[in-house]
Amino acid sequence: MNIGFDGKRAANNLTGLGNYSRSLIEHVAKQFPTNQYFIYTPKVKENILTLPLFSKANVYLKQPDKGKSKLFWRSSGIKKQLIEDKIDLFHGLSHEIPLGIQHIGIKSIVTMHDLIFLRKPHYYKLIDRLIYKFKSKYACDKSDRIIAISEKTKEDIVELYNINPSKIDVIYQSCDDSFKTLSSTFEKEKIKKKYKLPDKFILNVGTIEARKNLLLVIKALPKINDDFKLVVVGKETTYTALVKREIENLGLQHRVIFLKNVPFNDLPLIYQLASVFVLPSYYEGFGIPIIEALYSNIPVVAATGSCLEEAGGPNSIYVSPDSEIDLANAINKVLTDEKLQDTMKQKGYEYVQKFDNEIVNQQLMDCYLKTMKQ
């Protein structure tokens, strides 16, 4: 089978959807090597081409023909190349598929990560909301099948887009394999020195934006043992200024460390050095950092209200994203109870095995084969 992928993010994005896209293609290509996998993208970041995915014998990177406009290639022009490459199935990895693909005899699947722009519209510009809604609604209506990355996302698709639930498969995400191997004390000490990390710290990973609610952690910090600092790893946005003002107001400059542009290979070791991982987001499609933390053998405290309970399982702790007191109490509970820490680590690690790549890959291939038979 020749399988095509929308590779815009796989070939250009080193975070979030880029990691998801590369991991999915790489692992399914390894587990099912008799298929051919085509990654379609209008442009490529050269440093990404050095990653293992692009050196696999059954993976092909495809770009617009020379002289062809790249402007509307992903949404329309790509269809000619899909036909030429004899693609049997096209997988849109992030909310969209080419316009009219249903008319050229190629089956299609779309992965829907979330509908946050509809659930929490105030986080998005009007023009962005309109574009996202058009592309995602079209993809859900016209694709042969839909993959939702959580039960919560499936519920949103059914409710907000009036899609028959039988058309949707829930296939969870895994995380990069580098998070699944515990590093040596020597390796961790090197990273600790490189980033001047404290002996004890609370970890938060993700883009610093309003939806992810880092401000709540800052407000909770004065109520948490002074021995523990907060380490934040993520890209800054305009919301960061609000967070930093609150840090100054509370006199917490000495307790908060911001790390930017952390190489991906260093991130697993930073997780493994942490005492607890905290993600109080108002809304997530799934919550990959929680999976990374559980594989890293770190207790997790997250927020209620979206799908984080699905990612973290029954032995992580969940609090209201509006209560810094509840968040502080939950973190203190973990930090002061070694028996609880051990239970959360053990049970969390057992739970996260359901997101193992081999399991996820088989579910994905089953979805592909089911789609081809429709």
Side-chain angles (χ1 to χ4, degrees):
M1 184 162 52
N2 289 346
I3 304 170
F5 298 93
D6 178 2
K8 177 186 175 182
R9 289 176 173 82
N12 293 279
N13 190 334
L14 281 168
T15 59
L17 293 178
N19 292 336
Y20 164 77
S21 300
R22 284 187 299 276
S23 179
L24 181 149
I25 300 168
E26 182 174 356
H27 286 104
V28 78
K30 179 181 178 181
Q31 193 164 330
F32 302 98
T34 58
N35 299 313
Q36 306 300 306
Y37 303 89
F38 296 74
I39 301 174
Y40 293 88
T41 178
K43 60 181 181 178
V44 182
K45 280 189 177 177
E46 291 300 320
N47 59 329
I48 287 182
L49 290 179
T50 63
L51 297 175
L53 167 65
F54 299 98
S55 63
K56 298 185 75 67
N58 58 343
V59 173
Y60 308 90
L61 185 67
K62 307 289 286 188
Q63 293 184 264
D65 294 332
K66 288 184 178 179
K68 296 289 185 181
S69 171
K70 298 180 181 181
L71 185 58
F72 298 108
W73 183 73
R74 285 176 67 238
S75 60
S76 183
I78 189 176
K79 289 180 290 186
K80 182 175 181 289
Q81 285 184 243
L82 297 178
I83 294 170
E84 291 174 352
D85 293 333
K86 299 180 179 179
I87 296 300
D88 299 298
L89 175 72
F90 183 84
H91 186 171
L93 293 169
S94 55
H95 300 181
E96 58 184 299
I97 58 174
L99 300 175
I101 192 172
Q102 69 272 21
H103 300 308
I104 61 172
I106 295 174
K107 298 282 189 178
S108 66
I109 292 173
V110 64
T111 292
M112 295 296 296
H113 297 267
D114 58 69
L115 291 178
I116 298 173
F117 55 91
L118 295 179
R119 286 295 190 199
K120 304 288 183 180
H122 54 284
Y123 292 132
Y124 298 84
K125 296 177 182 178
L126 175 60
I127 184 63
D128 290 337
R129 295 202 309 269
L130 294 174
I131 292 171
Y132 297 158
K133 183 175 181 180
F134 170 77
K135 288 183 175 182
S136 60
K137 181 68 164 62
Y138 181 88
C140 287
D141 285 338
K142 303 301 182 183
S143 62
D144 292 286
R145 289 204 69 75
I146 300 167
I147 292 173
I149 63 165
S150 67
E151 290 290 347
K152 181 61 179 175
T153 296
K154 179 177 179 177
E155 291 172 10
D156 285 351
I157 296 168
V158 171
E159 177 187 343
L160 299 174
Y161 285 167
N162 195 30
I163 299 295
N164 189 326
S166 65
K167 184 179 179 178
I168 307 170
D169 293 315
V170 175
I171 301 178
Y172 290 113
Q173 299 170 261
S174 188
C175 66
D176 192 87
D177 285 343
S178 59
F179 293 92
K180 300 172 185 178
T181 302
L182 296 183
S183 303
S184 68
T185 301
F186 174 74
E187 291 173 313
K188 287 188 283 189
E189 281 299 316
K190 279 176 59 179
I191 291 297
K192 186 177 176 182
K193 290 179 181 177
K194 178 178 179 179
Y195 295 103
K196 299 181 174 62
L197 296 173
D199 292 333
K200 301 176 180 180
F201 65 90
I202 300 157
L203 179 64
N204 174 268
V205 175
T207 302
I208 306 171
E209 57 184 335
R211 174 173 59 84
K212 293 185 182 291
N213 201 21
L214 177 60
L215 194 60
L216 189 78
V217 189
I218 302 303
K219 290 178 178 179
L221 202 55
K223 303 172 182 65
I224 297 169
N225 189 325
D226 271 345
D227 292 341
F228 292 87
K229 294 187 177 181
L230 171 65
V231 174
V232 179
V233 182
K235 179 182 176 182
E236 296 188 0
T237 69
T238 54
Y239 170 77
T240 311
L242 180 63
V243 171
K244 290 186 175 180
R245 279 200 299 272
E246 187 67 14
I247 290 171
E248 291 181 12
N249 290 340
L250 296 174
L252 296 172
Q253 295 92 326
H254 65 293
R255 290 190 65 189
V256 184
I257 301 167
F258 289 93
L259 301 180
K260 295 187 292 185
N261 302 317
V262 173
F264 187 75
N265 291 340
D266 289 351
L267 193 54
L269 290 98
I270 295 174
Y271 270 99
Q272 291 172 33
L273 286 163
S275 303
V276 62
F277 179 79
V278 178
L279 187 67
S281 296
Y282 279 110
Y283 214 89
E284 295 283 349
F286 183 50
I288 284 293
I290 288 179
I291 303 300
E292 294 168 348
L294 294 179
Y295 269 117
S296 301
N297 219 19
I298 302 301
V300 169
V301 177
T304 58
S306 59
C307 64
L308 297 182
E309 292 96 332
E310 288 184 63
N315 290 97
S316 295
I317 297 177
Y318 308 95
V319 300
S320 165
D322 293 310
S323 175
E324 66 265 25
I325 294 174
D326 288 352
L327 180 61
N329 288 342
I331 294 172
N332 284 329
K333 183 178 179 182
V334 175
L335 296 179
T336 57
D337 189 335
E338 290 188 12
K339 186 176 180 180
L340 176 61
Q341 291 173 30
D342 291 341
T343 299
M344 292 177 72
K345 291 177 183 179
Q346 178 190 337
K347 296 294 185 181
Y349 187 77
E350 291 172 2
Y351 176 80
V352 83
Q353 301 311 307
K354 70 186 290 184
F355 308 120
D356 181 77
N357 278 313
E358 288 193 7
I359 295 172
V360 171
N361 295 341
Q362 186 61 59
Q363 292 171 343
L364 182 65
M365 186 54 63
D366 290 345
C367 180
Y368 286 173
L369 295 174
K370 178 167 57 176
T371 304
M372 291 301 298
K373 292 177 182 177
Q374 288 182 199

